[in-house]
């Protein structure tokens, strides 16, 4: 039995303040089917990651642009949140052909105006994207400083997986697809809202505190 204790890492970076920011999409991550305790079913989710060059954070002594992300159910139903976001972001409705098949990766590298709001969850404050639209006319598009990340849980790329934030890796590990591909392995119990590990795998001896 392992006697190693693990401590939850607390972020020293305060959440982004509410307001409007100019960003660029640097990541589109399909994290697979995530089970919702509230709705008692699984639905396929995708995460969009945006880089905000105007907002900086120090990482290992180096100034880096901040990232913010939002998770959506994969659906182009007109009433679906993702459909509403893509229409507002692109500034046009979907054509019939696009509704038949739309490649989400076509949005990688596309600039956006992000409306950010702060919210409370389990006693913590988080910054969330409340709205996404295109840039105002005449505003120069921000340039990405980090490489673009595209990941599909149904066609996993381990090299890309290793570059993803830990909380997104945890969501992928909590997906139905990951469970199907790792039969016999312990699957993490994850808070699908935050990606936080709720309990360590059985037999690991890890005690979060």
């Amino acid at each position: 039995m392992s006697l190693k204790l693990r401590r939850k890492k607390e972020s020293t970076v305060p959440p982004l303040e509410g307001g409007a920011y100019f960003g660029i999409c640097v990541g589109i991550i399909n994290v697979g089917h995530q089970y919702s305790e509230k709705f008692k079913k699984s639905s396929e989710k995708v995460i969009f990651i945006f880089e905000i060059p105007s907002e900086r954070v120090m990482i290992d002594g180096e100034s880096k642009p901040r990232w913010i992300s939002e998770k959506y159910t994969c659906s182009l139903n007109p009433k679906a949140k993702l459909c509403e976001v893509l229409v507002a972001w692109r500034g046009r409705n979907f054509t019939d052909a696009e509704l038949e098949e739309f490649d989400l990766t076509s949005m990688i590298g596309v600039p956006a105006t992000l409306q950010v709001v702060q919210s409370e969850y389990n006693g913590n404050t988080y910054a969330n994207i409340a709205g996404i639209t295109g840039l105002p006319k005449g505003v120069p598009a921000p340039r990405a400083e980090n490489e673009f990340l595209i990941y599909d849980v149904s066609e996993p790329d381990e090299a890309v997986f290793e570059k993803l934030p830990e909380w997104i890796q945890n969501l992928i590990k909590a997906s139905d697809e990951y469970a199907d591909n790792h039969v016999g392995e312990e699957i993490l119990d994850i808070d699908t809202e935050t990606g936080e590990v709720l309990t360590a795998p059985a037999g690991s001896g890890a005690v979060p505190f």
Side-chain angles (χ1 to χ4, degrees):
M1 170 185 277
S2 170
L3 294 178
K4 295 180 181 179
L5 303 181
R6 293 191 304 192
R7 185 175 186 171
K8 177 185 174 183
K9 294 182 180 179
E10 299 291 345
S11 174
T12 59
V13 179
L16 199 62
E17 293 183 0
Y21 299 88
F22 298 144
I24 182 170
C25 181
V26 295
I28 299 177
I29 316 300
N30 183 322
V31 295
H33 284 75
Q34 302 285 322
Y35 182 76
S36 170
E37 186 64 35
K38 178 179 179 180
F39 297 106
K40 305 299 182 183
K41 67 176 183 178
S42 294
S43 56
E44 189 177 13
K45 301 290 184 178
V46 62
I47 293 175
F48 287 87
I49 302 173
F50 293 89
E51 182 178 292
I52 304 177
S54 64
E55 299 297 311
R56 317 298 295 187
V57 62
M58 296 301 294
I59 300 178
D60 297 328
E62 186 177 355
S63 175
K64 297 283 189 181
R66 293 194 65 159
W67 279 10
I68 189 170
S69 61
E70 196 66 35
K71 181 165 86 282
Y72 302 97
T73 298
C74 293
S75 173
L76 287 183
N77 184 297
K79 295 182 179 180
K81 183 63 176 178
L82 178 58
C83 184
E84 294 177 358
V85 164
L86 290 172
V87 167
W89 185 4
R90 300 188 321 146
R92 63 181 186 275
N93 288 314
F94 286 97
T95 65
D96 290 340
E98 287 175 328
L99 288 174
E100 287 294 325
E101 182 176 81
F102 181 75
D103 185 358
L104 288 177
T105 64
S106 65
M107 303 306 295
I108 200 78
V110 177
T113 301
L114 309 171
Q115 187 63 46
V116 176
V117 298
Q118 289 190 351
S119 60
E120 299 290 328
Y121 181 76
N122 283 350
N124 296 312
T125 300
Y126 296 92
N128 301 106
I129 299 175
I132 303 175
T133 59
L135 294 183
K137 188 175 181 179
V139 173
R143 287 189 174 186
E145 298 179 30
N146 291 286
E147 66 177 303
F148 296 148
L149 299 174
I150 296 175
Y151 183 88
D152 186 345
V153 70
S154 62
E155 299 178 5
D157 183 327
E158 288 302 315
V160 175
F161 180 85
E162 292 300 324
K163 298 176 183 178
L164 298 174
E166 184 179 12
W167 70 271
I168 294 182
Q169 292 181 1
N170 288 341
L171 281 177
I172 292 170
K173 291 178 181 179
S175 69
D176 295 347
E177 289 83 350
Y178 189 92
D180 290 341
N181 292 329
H182 295 78
V183 176
E185 296 184 17
E186 284 287 353
I187 303 302
L188 296 178
D189 183 12
I190 302 294
D191 184 327
T192 56
E193 291 298 320
T194 65
E196 179 184 345
V197 179
L198 299 177
T199 56
S204 69
V207 182
F209 66 94

